[in-house]
């Protein structure tokens, strides 16, 4: 599968997650306070909850249901109750548009 356009970078709101589905894969798309764009699996590994409905704190996204936080950079859980990571996808910004290939995860 090749990278798919998901939205314009200008559509993202700083420190808010946006849910996108690419190739059937739910992804939480986040622009952090530094302006960097992150793409992380949208499903909390603890409670099967959409992470895009959660909160952004620095370089972490927090699940609203049980408080598990995941690194936007690595997908690793930062606290319990989650202990399994979520995938992190490579983001390409081309001419102001965001592209993601859900078959390619970042090597951490």
């Amino acid at each position: 599968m090749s990278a798919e356009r998901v939205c314009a970078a200008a559509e993202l709101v700083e420190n808010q997650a946006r849910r996108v589905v690419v190739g059937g894969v739910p992804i939480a798309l986040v622009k952090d306070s530094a302006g960097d764009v992150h793409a992380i699996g949208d499903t909390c590994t603890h409670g099967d909850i959409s992470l895009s409905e959660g909160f952004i704190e620095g370089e972490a996204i927090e699940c609203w249901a049980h408080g598990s936080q995941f690194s936007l950079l690595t997908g690793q859980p930062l606290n319990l109750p989650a202990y399994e990571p979520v995938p992190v996808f490579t983001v390409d910004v081309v001419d102001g548009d965001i592209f993601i290939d859900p078959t390619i995860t970042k090597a951490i």
Side-chain angles (χ1 to χ4, degrees):
M1 173 176 228
S2 61
E4 186 177 313
R5 181 191 180 279
V6 293
C7 67
E11 294 176 35
L12 295 180
V13 177
E14 185 177 296
N15 291 322
Q16 288 186 5
R18 176 179 182 168
R19 184 178 196 270
V20 296
V21 178
V22 183
V25 178
I27 296 171
L29 195 59
V30 176
K31 180 167 66 173
D32 66 21
S33 58
D36 296 323
V37 178
H38 306 275
I40 188 168
D42 188 44
T43 306
C44 178
T45 56
H46 168 255
D48 198 27
I49 302 291
S50 174
L51 291 175
S52 61
E53 296 177 18
F55 312 100
I56 308 303
E57 295 181 17
E59 293 180 340
I61 188 166
E62 180 177 325
C63 178
W64 64 268
H66 299 109
S68 290
Q69 293 182 340
F70 297 88
S71 168
L72 292 171
L73 302 174
T74 67
Q76 291 296 319
L78 302 175
N79 63 333
L80 296 174
Y83 58 89
E84 293 288 328
V86 293
V88 175
F89 304 95
T90 302
V91 175
D92 293 313
V93 181
V94 179
D95 296 328
D97 289 327
I98 297 173
F99 292 83
I100 300 172
D101 183 339
T103 64
I104 300 175
T105 57
K106 286 186 177 181
I108 306 299

XYZ file of all heavy atoms in Angstrom:
795
model
N 0.858 -1.179 0.000
C 0.000 0.000 0.000
C 0.893 1.227 0.000
O 1.932 1.263 0.630
C -0.907 -0.026 1.232
C -1.711 1.242 1.421
S -2.841 1.113 2.815
C -4.302 1.706 2.018
N 0.463 2.243 -0.678
C 1.225 3.487 -0.675
C 0.593 4.475 0.298
O -0.523 4.284 0.766
C 1.271 4.078 -2.089
O -0.031 4.369 -2.527
N 1.337 5.530 0.588
C 0.849 6.543 1.515
C -0.418 7.190 0.971
O -0.550 7.416 -0.230
C 1.921 7.589 1.756
N -1.333 7.477 1.877
C -2.611 8.069 1.517
C -2.739 9.450 2.170
O -2.373 9.638 3.322
C -3.729 7.153 2.018
C -5.114 7.558 1.597
C -6.156 6.553 2.074
O -5.925 5.336 1.891
O -7.182 6.986 2.630
N -3.277 10.399 1.419
C -3.512 11.733 1.971
C -4.642 11.640 2.990
O -5.699 11.079 2.713
C -3.907 12.728 0.884
C -4.127 14.135 1.422
C -4.791 15.053 0.376
N -4.992 16.385 0.904
C -6.010 16.759 1.701
N -6.919 15.868 2.062
N -6.112 17.998 2.131
N -4.414 12.196 4.190
C -5.445 12.133 5.217
C -6.083 13.489 5.502
O -7.247 13.550 5.873
C -4.930 11.502 6.527
C -4.603 10.035 6.303
C -3.737 12.229 7.082
N -5.315 14.573 5.360
C -5.859 15.913 5.555
C -4.771 16.934 5.269
O -3.612 16.578 5.054
C -6.406 16.116 6.978
S -5.158 16.107 8.278
N -5.159 18.195 5.279
C -4.179 19.274 5.184
C -3.612 19.518 6.571
O -4.330 19.433 7.577
C -4.833 20.541 4.651
N -2.333 19.810 6.654
C -1.698 20.084 7.950
C -2.385 21.248 8.655
O -2.509 21.251 9.881
C -0.214 20.368 7.751
N -2.880 22.199 7.902
C -3.536 23.377 8.487
C -4.849 23.027 9.190
O -5.334 23.814 10.001
C -3.785 24.421 7.403
N -5.405 21.860 8.894
C -6.656 21.442 9.525
C -6.460 20.933 10.952
O -7.424 20.833 11.706
C -7.322 20.333 8.699
C -7.785 20.771 7.337
C -8.345 19.616 6.531
O -8.971 18.710 7.125
O -8.138 19.595 5.308
N -5.229 20.613 11.322
C -4.970 20.084 12.658
C -4.904 21.212 13.677
O -4.328 22.263 13.425
C -3.659 19.303 12.682
C -3.618 18.043 11.834
C -2.255 17.379 11.950
C -4.718 17.076 12.241
N -5.488 20.964 14.830
C -5.471 21.914 15.936
C -4.389 21.470 16.909
O -4.335 20.292 17.284
C -6.850 21.966 16.641
C -6.813 22.895 17.838
C -7.925 22.388 15.657
N -3.550 22.393 17.308
C -2.456 22.078 18.215
C -2.963 21.420 19.497
O -3.943 21.870 20.096
C -1.703 23.361 18.554
C -0.469 23.162 19.391
C 0.259 24.466 19.626
O 0.732 25.057 18.630
O 0.339 24.894 20.788
N -2.279 20.349 19.896
C -2.568 19.608 21.131
C -3.971 19.012 21.186
O -4.539 18.838 22.261
C -2.294 20.464 22.366
C -0.819 20.723 22.543
O 0.001 19.851 22.285
N -0.472 21.911 22.973
N -4.503 18.685 20.010
C -5.762 17.949 19.934
C -5.574 16.803 18.950
O -4.920 16.967 17.924
C -6.909 18.837 19.449
C -7.364 19.844 20.458
C -8.605 20.603 19.971
O -9.172 20.310 18.929
N -8.997 21.592 20.741
N -6.134 15.669 19.268
C -6.038 14.513 18.382
C -7.205 14.496 17.404
O -8.302 14.951 17.724
C -6.016 13.229 19.202
N -6.938 13.969 16.240
C -7.972 13.812 15.210
C -7.924 12.369 14.731
O -6.863 11.855 14.385
C -7.687 14.764 14.055
C -8.646 14.606 12.910
C -8.336 15.590 11.812
N -9.285 15.460 10.742
C -9.406 16.326 9.763
N -8.632 17.382 9.732
N -10.276 16.133 8.821
N -9.074 11.721 14.714
C -9.142 10.331 14.262
C -9.252 10.289 12.749
O -10.091 10.972 12.159
C -10.340 9.635 14.881
C -10.431 8.157 14.540
C -11.637 7.526 15.243
N -11.573 6.095 15.271
C -12.072 5.301 14.322
N -12.679 5.838 13.281
N -11.976 3.991 14.431
N -8.391 9.469 12.127
C -8.467 9.208 10.698
C -8.397 7.694 10.521
O -7.879 6.984 11.383
C -7.327 9.908 9.902
C -7.445 11.421 10.003
C -5.963 9.452 10.354
N -8.935 7.213 9.436
C -8.851 5.792 9.121
C -8.177 5.672 7.765
O -8.643 6.251 6.776
C -10.251 5.131 9.104
C -10.129 3.656 8.730
C -10.935 5.291 10.452
N -7.064 4.946 7.740
C -6.292 4.785 6.509
C -6.148 3.299 6.226
O -5.601 2.565 7.060
C -4.899 5.450 6.639
C -4.138 5.344 5.325
C -5.014 6.891 7.082
N -6.667 2.865 5.108
C -6.592 1.447 4.774
C -7.225 0.565 5.827
O -6.753 -0.535 6.088
N -8.282 1.068 6.473
C -8.972 0.307 7.506
C -8.315 0.381 8.878
O -8.795 -0.228 9.823
N -7.215 1.118 8.997
C -6.488 1.231 10.261
C -6.852 2.552 10.941
O -6.614 3.624 10.389
C -4.957 1.174 10.027
C -4.200 1.347 11.334
C -4.578 -0.123 9.333
N -7.423 2.506 12.156
C -7.728 3.739 12.879
C -6.444 4.349 13.453
O -5.653 3.659 14.087
C -8.685 3.303 13.980
C -8.459 1.850 14.148
C -7.916 1.325 12.862
N -6.266 5.646 13.196
C -5.048 6.352 13.590
C -5.426 7.653 14.271
O -6.322 8.366 13.814
C -4.167 6.634 12.345
C -3.702 5.317 11.723
C -2.984 7.533 12.698
C -3.006 5.468 10.388
N -4.735 7.967 15.370
C -4.879 9.266 16.027
C -3.776 10.168 15.475
O -2.591 9.848 15.577
C -4.759 9.133 17.538
N -4.168 11.262 14.891
C -3.248 12.217 14.283
C -3.154 13.413 15.217
O -4.175 13.967 15.630
C -3.802 12.621 12.916
C -2.897 13.316 11.931
C -1.678 12.472 11.599
C -3.678 13.618 10.660
N -1.926 13.815 15.581
C -1.730 14.862 16.585
C -0.678 15.851 16.105
O 0.396 15.444 15.635
C -1.252 14.263 17.927
C -0.960 15.352 18.935
C -2.265 13.278 18.478
N -0.974 17.144 16.267
C 0.047 18.178 16.092
C 0.384 18.677 17.490
O -0.480 19.221 18.188
C -0.447 19.323 15.216
C 0.616 20.409 15.019
C 0.288 21.405 13.924
C -0.900 22.245 14.257
N -1.146 23.338 13.300
N 1.639 18.464 17.912
C 2.023 18.859 19.264
C 2.327 20.356 19.338
O 2.268 21.055 18.327
C 3.172 18.002 19.805
C 4.480 18.191 19.052
O 4.678 19.224 18.372
O 5.336 17.298 19.146
N 2.663 20.840 20.524
C 2.883 22.270 20.727
C 4.106 22.788 19.975
O 4.224 23.990 19.735
C 2.996 22.594 22.218
O 4.047 21.847 22.789
N 5.003 21.894 19.568
C 6.163 22.294 18.770
C 5.827 22.336 17.280
O 6.653 22.733 16.466
C 7.320 21.332 19.020
N 4.605 21.900 16.923
C 4.194 21.889 15.523
C 4.493 20.591 14.803
O 4.218 20.464 13.615
N 5.055 19.612 15.522
C 5.351 18.313 14.910
C 4.077 17.479 14.831
O 3.254 17.505 15.739
C 6.392 17.562 15.731
C 7.736 18.281 15.758
O 8.120 18.864 14.728
O 8.397 18.250 16.814
N 3.935 16.731 13.732
C 2.751 15.899 13.520
C 3.106 14.443 13.806
O 4.124 13.935 13.340
C 2.213 16.058 12.084
C 1.006 15.153 11.859
C 1.846 17.511 11.810
N 2.253 13.787 14.587
C 2.449 12.394 14.973
C 1.238 11.571 14.547
O 0.108 12.065 14.590
C 2.598 12.277 16.492
C 3.660 13.155 17.056
N 4.978 12.786 17.102
C 3.599 14.412 17.580
C 5.683 13.756 17.649
N 4.869 14.753 17.945
N 1.482 10.320 14.184
C 0.413 9.378 13.844
C 0.618 8.129 14.688
O 1.664 7.484 14.617
C 0.449 9.036 12.362
N -0.370 7.821 15.506
C -0.260 6.726 16.464
C -1.540 5.895 16.394
O -2.606 6.426 16.100
C -0.020 7.306 17.889
C 0.306 6.233 18.908
C -1.151 8.176 18.338
C 0.831 6.780 20.228
N -1.417 4.606 16.626
C -2.608 3.755 16.633
C -3.678 4.351 17.534
O -3.386 4.799 18.639
N -4.911 4.380 17.074
C -5.989 5.084 17.780
C -6.658 4.256 18.876
O -7.510 4.753 19.572
C -7.043 5.564 16.783
C -8.084 6.461 17.433
O -7.700 7.350 18.226
O -9.282 6.272 17.164
N -6.253 3.016 19.054
C -6.946 2.170 20.023
C -6.059 1.880 21.230
O -4.987 1.298 21.096
C -7.372 0.846 19.362
O -8.129 1.145 18.188
C -8.215 0.016 20.305
N -6.534 2.279 22.410
C -5.821 2.007 23.656
C -5.690 0.501 23.826
O -6.662 -0.233 23.657
C -6.561 2.620 24.845
S -5.789 2.280 26.447
N -4.490 0.051 24.172
C -4.262 -1.383 24.320
C -4.797 -1.928 25.635
O -4.832 -3.140 25.834
C -2.760 -1.711 24.218
O -2.045 -0.951 25.199
C -2.230 -1.380 22.829
N -5.246 -1.075 26.514
C -5.816 -1.541 27.777
C -7.321 -1.750 27.671
O -7.838 -2.773 28.090
C -5.520 -0.564 28.920
C -6.326 -0.848 30.151
N -7.400 -0.076 30.521
C -6.228 -1.828 31.074
C -7.927 -0.575 31.627
N -7.240 -1.631 31.992
N -8.028 -0.758 27.110
C -9.476 -0.840 27.161
C -10.204 -0.720 25.854
O -11.406 -0.482 25.849
N -9.510 -0.850 24.714
C -10.167 -0.770 23.412
C -10.954 0.539 23.277
O -12.109 0.549 22.846
C -11.067 -1.984 23.204
C -11.427 -2.180 21.734
O -10.639 -1.766 20.863
O -12.512 -2.732 21.467
N -10.328 1.645 23.695
C -10.930 2.982 23.668
C -10.191 3.816 22.624
O -8.978 3.701 22.466
C -10.786 3.663 25.052
C -11.429 2.823 26.144
C -11.308 5.081 25.049
C -12.919 2.737 26.102
N -10.908 4.700 21.941
C -10.291 5.585 20.955
C -9.390 6.611 21.646
O -9.852 7.428 22.440
C -11.372 6.304 20.152
O -10.787 7.256 19.283
N -8.100 6.573 21.348
C -7.156 7.529 21.940
C -7.373 8.941 21.433
O -7.045 9.905 22.114
C -5.717 7.090 21.675
C -5.255 5.840 22.413
C -3.850 5.441 21.964
C -5.292 6.063 23.914
N -7.939 9.081 20.238
C -8.148 10.432 19.693
C -9.179 11.217 20.494
O -9.291 12.424 20.340
C -8.549 10.368 18.215
O -9.759 9.664 18.054
N -9.912 10.543 21.381
C -10.850 11.230 22.259
C -10.185 11.639 23.572
O -10.821 12.204 24.452
C -12.047 10.320 22.552
C -12.862 10.000 21.315
C -13.993 9.032 21.602
O -14.371 8.866 22.768
O -14.498 8.431 20.640
N -8.885 11.338 23.687
C -8.147 11.610 24.905
C -7.491 12.974 24.930
O -7.874 13.887 24.190
N -6.481 13.103 25.767
C -5.833 14.381 26.036
C -4.371 14.323 25.606
O -3.721 13.286 25.750
C -5.910 14.688 27.529
C -7.284 14.495 28.100
C -7.611 13.338 28.796
C -8.263 15.450 27.911
C -8.878 13.144 29.303
C -9.548 15.258 28.409
C -9.853 14.104 29.111
N -3.861 15.446 25.129
C -2.460 15.551 24.746
C -1.732 16.292 25.854
O -2.146 17.377 26.265
C -2.297 16.321 23.414
C -3.201 15.745 22.321
C -0.825 16.343 22.989
C -3.014 14.283 22.033
N -0.648 15.687 26.333
C 0.186 16.312 27.355
C 1.633 16.172 26.919
O 2.201 15.083 26.998
C -0.029 15.644 28.716
C -1.434 15.824 29.258
C -1.615 15.178 30.624
O -0.605 14.872 31.285
O -2.771 14.986 31.009
N 2.223 17.260 26.445
C 3.603 17.198 25.961
C 3.709 16.265 24.780
O 3.041 16.445 23.775
N 4.546 15.224 24.929
C 4.733 14.244 23.863
C 4.005 12.938 24.175
O 4.457 11.855 23.834
C 6.220 13.993 23.634
C 6.927 15.210 23.077
C 8.406 14.967 22.845
O 8.986 14.034 23.442
O 8.973 15.727 22.059
N 2.840 13.075 24.858
C 2.058 11.894 25.217
C 0.584 12.132 24.922
O 0.107 13.264 24.909
C 2.244 11.565 26.700
N -0.105 11.028 24.680
C -1.555 11.061 24.540
C -2.117 10.198 25.664
O -1.591 9.124 25.959
C -2.012 10.566 23.140
C -3.499 10.801 22.935
C -1.614 9.123 22.901
C -3.946 10.654 21.486
N -3.157 10.713 26.322
C -3.739 10.017 27.469
C -5.132 9.517 27.138
O -5.979 10.263 26.648
C -3.820 10.956 28.673
C -4.405 10.300 29.899
C -4.426 11.211 31.110
O -3.500 12.022 31.272
O -5.391 11.116 31.894
N -5.371 8.256 27.413
C -6.691 7.667 27.234
C -7.639 8.253 28.271
O -7.344 8.238 29.466
C -6.600 6.150 27.392
S -8.190 5.325 27.242
N -8.770 8.744 27.823
C -9.719 9.406 28.722
C -10.385 8.438 29.691
O -10.831 8.826 30.758
C -10.786 10.153 27.917
C -11.649 9.244 27.088
C -11.452 8.873 25.796
C -12.836 8.580 27.514
N -12.432 8.004 25.376
C -13.310 7.810 26.432
C -13.550 8.546 28.700
C -14.453 7.023 26.492
C -14.694 7.758 28.768
C -15.128 7.010 27.666
N -10.447 7.157 29.347
C -11.199 6.212 30.167
C -10.459 5.767 31.435
O -11.047 5.749 32.507
C -11.583 4.987 29.344
N -9.193 5.403 31.299
C -8.481 4.851 32.447
C -7.153 5.535 32.733
O -6.419 5.100 33.607
C -8.260 3.345 32.265
C -9.532 2.581 32.141
N -9.935 2.012 30.959
C -10.518 2.333 33.037
C -11.116 1.423 31.140
N -11.490 1.607 32.382
N -6.817 6.571 31.960
C -5.628 7.369 32.246
C -4.308 6.836 31.735
O -3.266 7.425 32.026
N -4.305 5.761 30.965
C -3.039 5.294 30.397
C -2.510 6.336 29.426
O -3.273 6.908 28.641
C -3.221 3.966 29.653
O -3.485 2.933 30.559
N -1.213 6.580 29.484
C -0.569 7.508 28.561
C 0.375 6.735 27.650
O 1.011 5.772 28.085
C 0.212 8.576 29.307
C -0.659 9.511 30.102
C 0.158 10.595 30.781
O 1.360 10.467 30.976
N -0.500 11.672 31.140
N 0.456 7.188 26.396
C 1.341 6.573 25.413
C 2.227 7.646 24.809
O 1.765 8.757 24.521
C 0.531 5.912 24.292
C -0.341 4.788 24.770
C -1.626 5.038 25.227
C 0.123 3.484 24.773
C -2.435 4.009 25.688
C -0.683 2.446 25.226
C -1.960 2.710 25.676
N 3.492 7.311 24.588
C 4.415 8.232 23.934
C 4.004 8.425 22.483
O 3.793 7.444 21.755
C 5.841 7.678 23.997
O 6.695 8.402 23.137
N 3.908 9.681 22.054
C 3.618 9.964 20.650
C 4.803 9.598 19.767
O 4.645 9.387 18.570
C 3.275 11.444 20.465
C 1.963 11.916 21.077
C 1.871 13.437 21.014
C 0.778 11.272 20.386
N 5.992 9.512 20.355
C 7.210 9.225 19.598
C 7.450 7.734 19.409
O 7.915 7.300 18.355
C 8.419 9.849 20.295
C 8.348 11.351 20.511
C 9.533 11.827 21.345
C 8.294 12.083 19.186
N 7.125 6.928 20.433
C 7.445 5.499 20.387
C 6.233 4.581 20.475
O 6.346 3.391 20.182
C 8.389 5.123 21.546
O 7.684 5.272 22.790
C 9.655 5.980 21.545
N 5.096 5.095 20.954
C 3.917 4.266 21.156
C 3.953 3.481 22.451
O 2.992 2.790 22.804
N 5.037 3.572 23.194
C 5.170 2.831 24.441
C 4.246 3.404 25.509
O 4.082 4.624 25.607
C 6.614 2.887 24.948
C 7.588 2.121 24.090
C 7.305 0.636 24.075
O 6.987 0.022 25.092
N 7.410 0.033 22.890
N 3.634 2.531 26.326
C 2.825 3.030 27.436
C 3.743 3.668 28.476
O 4.830 3.163 28.745
C 2.142 1.782 27.986
C 3.009 0.651 27.552
C 3.666 1.074 26.277
N 3.296 4.782 29.033
C 4.101 5.509 30.014
C 3.648 5.234 31.443
O 4.324 5.642 32.393
C 4.048 7.009 29.712
C 4.530 7.399 28.312
C 4.330 8.885 28.063
C 5.990 7.004 28.120
N 2.498 4.598 31.573
C 1.994 4.235 32.900
C 0.952 3.133 32.758
O 0.502 2.826 31.662
C 1.411 5.465 33.619
C 0.221 6.056 32.895
O 0.080 5.936 31.675
N -0.664 6.708 33.626
N 0.603 2.551 33.885
C -0.444 1.533 33.920
C -1.805 2.212 33.908
O -1.890 3.394 34.231
C -0.278 0.681 35.175
C 1.012 -0.134 35.243
C 1.125 -0.812 36.593
C 1.071 -1.150 34.118
N -2.843 1.549 33.487
C -2.949 0.109 33.382
C -2.484 -0.480 32.048
O -2.339 -1.689 31.942
C -4.436 -0.150 33.611
C -5.114 1.068 33.118
C -4.157 2.199 33.438
N -2.230 0.327 31.026
C -1.759 -0.231 29.750
C -0.320 -0.709 29.897
O 0.488 -0.073 30.572
C -1.869 0.808 28.646
N 0.000 -1.816 29.252
C 1.372 -2.308 29.261
C 1.840 -2.713 27.868
O 3.013 -2.991 27.664
C 1.554 -3.455 30.266
C 0.654 -4.639 30.019
C 1.048 -5.672 29.189
C -0.608 -4.707 30.616
C 0.214 -6.747 28.949
C -1.440 -5.781 30.393
C -1.028 -6.796 29.560
O -1.859 -7.865 29.323
N 0.941 -2.709 26.899
C 1.289 -3.018 25.510
C 1.367 -1.714 24.719
O 0.511 -0.828 24.882
C 0.228 -3.916 24.876
C 0.159 -5.307 25.456
C 1.347 -6.157 25.064
O 1.894 -5.974 23.953
O 1.736 -7.003 25.886
N 2.355 -1.569 23.834
C 2.467 -0.343 23.027
C 1.425 -0.298 21.912
O 0.799 -1.304 21.586
C 3.873 -0.440 22.442
C 4.149 -1.907 22.380
C 3.430 -2.513 23.570
N 1.247 0.883 21.357
C 0.437 1.070 20.152
C 1.390 1.395 19.005
O 2.491 1.899 19.240
C -0.617 2.193 20.330
C -1.664 1.809 21.345
C 0.028 3.504 20.705
N 1.009 1.107 17.773
C 1.910 1.397 16.658
C 2.040 2.903 16.413
O 1.121 3.674 16.692
C 1.243 0.706 15.463
C -0.192 0.589 15.839
C -0.228 0.467 17.333
N 3.196 3.280 15.908
C 3.468 4.666 15.520
C 3.810 4.639 14.031
O 4.646 3.844 13.595
C 4.629 5.256 16.342
C 4.977 6.647 15.859
C 4.264 5.278 17.820
N 3.162 5.499 13.274
C 3.321 5.502 11.829
C 4.133 6.705 11.356
O 4.099 7.769 11.970
C 1.945 5.521 11.151
C 1.073 4.379 11.580
C 0.162 4.535 12.613
C 1.190 3.140 10.988
C -0.632 3.486 13.034
C 0.405 2.072 11.400
C -0.508 2.246 12.426
N 4.829 6.516 10.251
C 5.589 7.595 9.647
C 4.625 8.584 8.998
O 3.680 8.191 8.313
C 6.558 7.039 8.580
O 7.422 6.097 9.208
C 7.372 8.148 7.951
N 4.881 9.855 9.235
C 4.059 10.927 8.670
C 4.897 11.686 7.645
O 6.025 12.084 7.932
C 3.600 11.912 9.769
C 2.861 13.088 9.160
C 2.752 11.195 10.800
N 4.352 11.879 6.473
C 5.002 12.699 5.458
C 4.114 13.906 5.198
O 2.909 13.759 4.970
C 5.197 11.922 4.157
C 6.197 10.788 4.296
O 7.286 11.030 4.856
O 5.880 9.665 3.865
N 4.712 15.092 5.242
C 3.992 16.316 4.908
C 4.544 16.802 3.577
O 5.730 17.115 3.454
C 4.162 17.393 5.999
C 3.376 18.643 5.625
C 3.711 16.863 7.354
N 3.671 16.820 2.569
C 4.062 17.210 1.222
C 3.144 18.331 0.756
O 1.921 18.154 0.688
C 3.968 16.014 0.240
C 4.356 16.436 -1.165
C 4.811 14.850 0.728
N 3.737 19.482 0.468
C 2.973 20.641 -0.001
C 1.788 20.956 0.915
O 0.693 21.271 0.447
C 2.488 20.434 -1.434
C 3.635 20.330 -2.432
O 4.681 20.976 -2.203
O 3.495 19.593 -3.423
N 2.001 20.829 2.225
C 0.967 21.166 3.187
C -0.057 20.079 3.448
O -0.972 20.279 4.240
N 0.084 18.930 2.794
C -0.836 17.812 3.003
C -0.131 16.704 3.777
O 1.069 16.465 3.598
C -1.338 17.251 1.670
C -2.289 18.190 0.965
O -3.037 18.909 1.658
O -2.281 18.215 -0.281
N -0.884 15.995 4.623
C -0.348 14.914 5.445
C -0.663 13.578 4.790
O -1.814 13.303 4.448
C -0.929 14.973 6.867
C -0.508 16.285 7.535
C -0.497 13.769 7.678
C -1.143 16.523 8.865
N 0.375 12.756 4.660
C 0.253 11.427 4.072
C 0.737 10.388 5.074
O 1.741 10.591 5.751
C 1.108 11.313 2.802
C 0.608 12.149 1.665
C 0.929 13.496 1.574
C -0.192 11.591 0.673
C 0.470 14.275 0.521
C -0.660 12.359 -0.383
C -0.329 13.704 -0.453
N -0.004 9.261 5.152
C 0.360 8.160 6.037
C 0.183 6.847 5.284
O -0.804 6.655 4.583
C -0.537 8.134 7.300
C -0.389 9.432 8.085
C -0.207 6.934 8.174
C -1.374 9.558 9.226
N 1.146 5.953 5.465
C 1.023 4.584 4.968
C 0.854 3.698 6.196
O 1.781 3.540 6.985
C 2.259 4.179 4.188
C 2.146 2.777 3.575
O 1.318 1.972 4.071
O 2.887 2.496 2.624
N -0.337 3.105 6.403
C -0.590 2.326 7.627
C 0.159 0.990 7.668
O 0.113 0.309 8.689
C -2.104 2.109 7.598
C -2.439 2.091 6.156
C -1.501 3.104 5.530
N 0.832 0.646 6.598
C 1.602 -0.595 6.606
C 3.048 -0.349 7.032
O 3.801 -1.298 7.234
C 1.604 -1.278 5.216
O 2.276 -0.423 4.279
C 0.187 -1.555 4.762
N 3.435 0.912 7.203
C 4.809 1.238 7.581
C 4.810 1.912 8.948
O 4.253 3.002 9.117
C 5.476 2.164 6.554
C 5.504 1.496 5.170
C 6.887 2.537 7.000
C 6.036 2.366 4.063
N 5.381 1.231 9.921
C 5.509 1.801 11.257
C 6.947 2.261 11.465
O 7.874 1.771 10.801
C 5.109 0.794 12.343
O 5.910 -0.361 12.206
C 3.642 0.430 12.255
N 7.100 3.204 12.389
C 8.435 3.696 12.713
C 9.214 2.603 13.419
O 8.694 1.885 14.259
C 8.359 4.900 13.636
C 7.927 6.162 12.976
C 8.032 7.302 13.973
C 7.682 8.617 13.333
N 7.805 9.728 14.314
N 10.484 2.500 13.077
C 11.375 1.586 13.794
C 11.829 2.282 15.061
O 12.407 3.364 15.010
C 12.566 1.221 12.923
N 11.511 1.701 16.193
C 11.841 2.329 17.477
C 12.954 1.543 18.134
O 13.012 0.378 18.158
C 10.596 2.380 18.392
C 9.427 3.063 17.694
C 10.928 3.033 19.709
C 9.643 4.496 17.282
